[in-house]
Every structure is written in structure tokens, then in C-alpha cells.
Amino acid sequence: MSDTAKPAPLFDKLALIGIGLIGSSIALRARRDGLVRSVVAATRSQKTADTANRIGVVDHCGTDLAAAVKDADLVIICTPVGACGEAMKTIAPAMKPGAIVSEVGSVKQAVIRDMRPHVPAGVHFVPAHPIAGTEHSGPEAGFPTLFDGRWCILTPLEGTDQGAVDRLAAFWTACGSMVEFMAPDWHDMVLGIVSHLPHLIAYTIVGTADDMAGERRSEVIKFAAGGFRDFTRIAASDPTMWRDVFLNNREAVLEILGRFQEDLFSLQRAIRWGEGDKLFELFTRTRDIRRALIDMKQA
Ligand code: NAP
């Protein structure tokens, strides 16, 4: 996009708390398309701040969270889910009245529970979750097109200023996302099925293979074809982020795991008793889901 074609910025100052994959991807997109006039960040460690400054992903990155949000009209907390509440508490006294504070956590109910009590009066809290990511983390993992064509789910709370919700939705749309609205509990159930359970399965399968392989580990790696290889990619996802997801979406994940175990036992039984039709019927049904995803351009 040429400078003359750029629309007016949607926000003056964007502050990102946490500058890993998601934070840096937001920064890169916002700067590329002139969505904000300035973008600063604050992170926990000096090492990550140094990296962010060296690669120039933001105007400035420090380790003082409260200093970063001063005068910001949009603040997005991009830390692991378990750190959102504490981060909100730290920045609260420095937030500008009328500003929007959001976050990008993969779990909504627990993050809302932890952040909401610390949001100052006059600041608009609008939770969001961009359904986009990779197995890489840190500021060097970000890229400006991460959110292109991907959903971003907003879970606004009752009584939230509609203007603030609309402005955040416009920001995510400008980042390339398709915006959808959901209730926080429904978000956690849906994401439990489509994202959290698959990650848990991947961690399990790769762990089981590693345990079984023993000294023949190199052979498992050597012969890892399509299926297992795909699982290893998912199982390489950030341990801190995923530990926090499971601890903070416990109810939904346990509910879904219960159902999954029932279905798994049913398949185990079908294999034991040679019920080929049952297997064939399921594998045909699941293939249709893949085709539907391809049609929706989400494959
Ligand atoms: P990441 O690459 O690991 O980056 C996390 C950032 O948060 C780092 O800058 C880290 O700082 C900082 N941080 C960690 N603990 C902190 C604390 N206590 N106080 C302040 N900063 C802290 O993580 P990410 O992949 O960007 O994920 C961030 C959030 O996005 C998570 O809530 C995750 O659920 C959500 N999300 C992730 C994905 C995905 O696929 N990765 C997709 C959608 C949403 P230091 O490096 O300085 O320690």
C-alpha cells in the first residue's frame, strides 16, 4: 500500500504488553498499514526487549509495563493466559481514561475473571482471540500477514460501550481478520474442541512414541511420515502458553476429553471385533469435514 493510499490511523498510540509471536505480528501489521501512529511494547525480560528493539518491530520496547501504556488509546495484552490478570493490575493506574484494553488469550472466561477486577472505571475492556498462530514464539517469529483470512473472535461483556467494540473490531478487520462475536463460555467450549484437544492429543502421541522408542528413537524420527510428522509440529508449540491454556480452560477441556475417551473406546472395540463398516462410516464422515474446511478456505 502506498503512503497516499493509506487510510487515517485507527488509533494514535498502540501499546503491546508481551511481544512474542502474536504481539510482534500485530505490531508489524499495524505499522505496515499505518493502523496506528505509534506502537510501543513492554515485556518481562530485558533479553526479549533487546531483541524487539534490535529487529525494530516496535518504536520502543522496555520492561516497564505501566510506562508503556501511558497515553495509549489501545492496549493489547499479549502474554500467556496465566499472566494477563497480573499484567492488567500493573498497568491499571497508568491507563488513559477512555482507552480500550484488550488481550489475545486462547481462553476467555479465566482471562476475563482475572483481568476484569483491575480494569479502571472509564477504560473499555474488550476481550479478543485471533485464531491464528504457528508453533514458533518470541518477537522474531512474528509476520504481518499472520491474521490474513483468519477469524478473530471478540467476546465483549454485557454493558460494554458499543463504540469501543466497533473500534476494536475495525482494528482486527484492518489486520486482515474476519471478526466474529461469541459468549466467553461458548468460545472456551468451541476452542476446546478445535484447538485445545488436538494439541493435547499431539502432545500425548509424540510423548508416547518417544517413551516407546527408547534407544530406537532415531528410527522413529527417521521414518516419521505424514501423520506423526504433523503431530510433532503441533507438539512443538510453546510449553508455557499451552500449560496456561489447559490450566485455565480446565472445565471445558475435561468435558471434551470425557466425550473423546468414549469415542476412542468405541473405535478400540470396533477394531477388536473387526467392525470394518463402523470404521469406514466414521472415516467417510470425517473426510466431509475436511472438504467443508477447504470450501471455507480455512484449510
Ligand atoms: P510468546 O511468543 O511466547 O510471547 C509471550 C510474550 O509474553 C513474551 O514477550 C513474554 O516475555 C511475555 N510475557 C510472559 N510472561 C509475562 C509476564 N508475566 N509479564 C509480562 N510479559 C510476559 O507467546 P504468543 O504465542 O505470542 O502468545 C501470546 C498470547 O496469545 C497467549 O495468551 C496465547 O494464548 C495467545 N495466542 C497464541 C496463539 C499461538 O498460536 N501462538 C494464537 C492465538 C492466541 P519474555 O519473553 O520477556 O519473557
Side-chain angles (χ1 to χ4, degrees):
M1 205 184 283
S2 77
D3 269 354
T4 47
K6 278 182 184 169
L10 298 170
F11 293 93
D12 276 332
K13 179 180 168 184
L14 166 65
L16 299 161
I17 304 300
I19 190 76
L21 168 71
I22 301 295
S24 61
S25 295
I26 295 172
L28 289 167
R29 183 57 174 250
R31 293 176 102 191
R32 191 194 79 177
D33 291 352
L35 308 182
V36 297
R37 288 202 166 82
S38 68
V39 48
V40 300
T43 187
R44 180 175 50 174
S45 70
Q46 189 58 50
K47 187 166 174 264
T48 299
D50 289 345
T51 305
N53 287 322
R54 177 175 50 77
I55 61 176
V57 73
V58 288
D59 299 335
H60 176 259
C61 184
T63 55
D64 185 338
L65 310 195
V69 306
K70 194 171 173 290
D71 299 325
D73 45 3
L74 175 60
V75 175
I76 307 180
I77 298 181
C78 303
T79 66
V81 165
C84 289
E86 202 50 41
M88 185 67 236
K89 190 175 169 192
T90 307
I91 63 172
M95 281 209 62
K96 180 167 109 171
I100 296 172
V101 64
S102 187
E103 46 78 38
V104 292
S106 308
V107 177
K108 293 278 77 99
Q109 290 176 104
V111 168
I112 292 167
R113 176 200 67 205
D114 294 349
M115 281 179 64
R116 200 180 192 177
H118 305 298
V119 178
V123 167
H124 308 292
F125 175 36
V126 189
H129 178 200
I131 314 289
T134 71
E135 68 278 24
H136 304 297
S137 34
E140 289 169 296
F143 53 101
T145 52
L146 176 65
F147 310 110
D148 275 336
R150 301 282 157 215
W151 293 105
C152 181
I153 300 176
L154 267 53
T155 62
L157 309 168
E158 234 179 85
T160 307
D161 178 71
Q162 191 56 45
V165 176
D166 293 344
R167 286 186 77 199
L168 189 70
F171 178 80
W172 277 109
T173 303
C175 285
S177 292
M178 305 178 294
V179 172
E180 181 87 22
F181 296 90
M182 262 188 206
D185 57 343
W186 184 234
H187 166 281
D188 289 355
M189 189 56 83
V190 171
L191 269 293
I193 296 170
V194 301
S195 170
H196 307 170
L197 181 67
H199 274 83
L200 199 67
I201 294 170
Y203 283 125
T204 314
I205 289 178
V206 176
T208 306
D210 190 44
D211 288 345
M212 278 178 71
E215 74 275 12
R216 310 197 68 174
R217 200 169 182 274
S218 59
E219 274 184 29
V220 170
I221 293 166
K222 184 169 155 192
F223 296 116
F228 185 73
R229 197 171 45 205
D230 290 348
F231 279 120
T232 61
R233 185 185 60 74
I234 300 175
S237 301
D238 190 73
T240 307
M241 171 187 156
W242 284 97
R243 177 203 62 197
D244 281 13
V245 167
F246 291 115
L247 294 182
N248 285 281
N249 198 21
R250 194 173 55 173
E251 306 305 327
V253 170
L254 290 178
E255 161 71 22
I256 294 156
L257 260 182
R259 285 168 177 247
F260 176 73
Q261 278 168 358
E262 281 174 27
D263 293 342
L264 201 59
F265 282 134
S266 152
L267 278 185
Q268 190 178 5
R269 203 182 145 77
I271 294 168
R272 187 180 306 285
W273 296 104
E275 295 169 352
D277 288 354
K278 197 169 177 179
L279 298 176
F280 190 83
E281 188 270 326
L282 174 68
F283 300 165
T284 308
R285 192 152 55 92
T286 53
R287 190 186 243 190
D288 290 346
I289 296 194
R290 175 72 188 171
R291 287 184 180 148
L293 271 183
I294 292 168
D295 288 348
M296 289 165 73
K297 297 195 166 42
Q298 293 294 311

